[in-house]
Amino acid sequence: MPEPVDEQSSRWKDALTEGCLLLLVLVADAVAGLVVIIVLALRALGHMDAGAGRAVAGPPPADWAPVLCFGALALAVGVTAIMLLRVGYRVVGTIQLALCVVLAGGALVGWP
């Protein structure tokens, strides 16, 4: 039978591991979201400058950037949701999965 000191040490290590995992998930989602925002903002600035000096000859080409960005963000959120569900955080993982579905739906709505 393990001593109480060993049990406390084991619980502390488990809590530290889970805390680090949650921090990693938070940072990964934040970085993915920032990358999407930056890419879409730069694309919007490029579209503003490109239309100033030319005449409209036909329909504009399909813009795949929003679809790819929201799809990549949905993938990142989905992967972190699955990690959270496997660790045992059912509520947070379920919320992440719901957010993943919303982002995937946004990617499909933007499909040209």
Side-chain angles (χ1 to χ4, degrees):
M1 188 164 151
E3 296 178 8
V5 174
D6 289 340
E7 276 185 31
Q8 287 179 342
S9 176
S10 176
R11 286 184 202 158
W12 186 81
K13 286 180 183 178
D14 289 342
L16 181 66
T17 302
E18 289 179 4
C20 289
L21 178 67
L22 287 175
L23 182 65
L24 179 68
V25 165
L26 176 67
V27 169
D29 284 345
V31 168
L34 285 174
V35 167
V36 167
I37 289 171
I38 290 170
V39 167
L40 291 178
L42 290 176
R43 293 282 295 183
L45 287 174
H47 285 298
M48 288 174 154
D49 294 340
R54 64 180 175 149
V56 177
D63 188 13
W64 288 96
V67 175
L68 293 175
C69 286
F70 282 117
L73 187 58
L75 179 66
V77 170
V79 167
T80 56
I82 291 171
M83 285 176 48
L84 287 169
L85 287 173
R86 289 187 63 114
V87 170
Y89 291 105
R90 301 217 183 273
V91 174
V92 179
T94 305
I95 292 170
Q96 288 277 104
L97 276 178
L99 183 60
C100 174
V101 169
V102 169
L103 288 170
L108 290 175
V109 167
W111 192 279

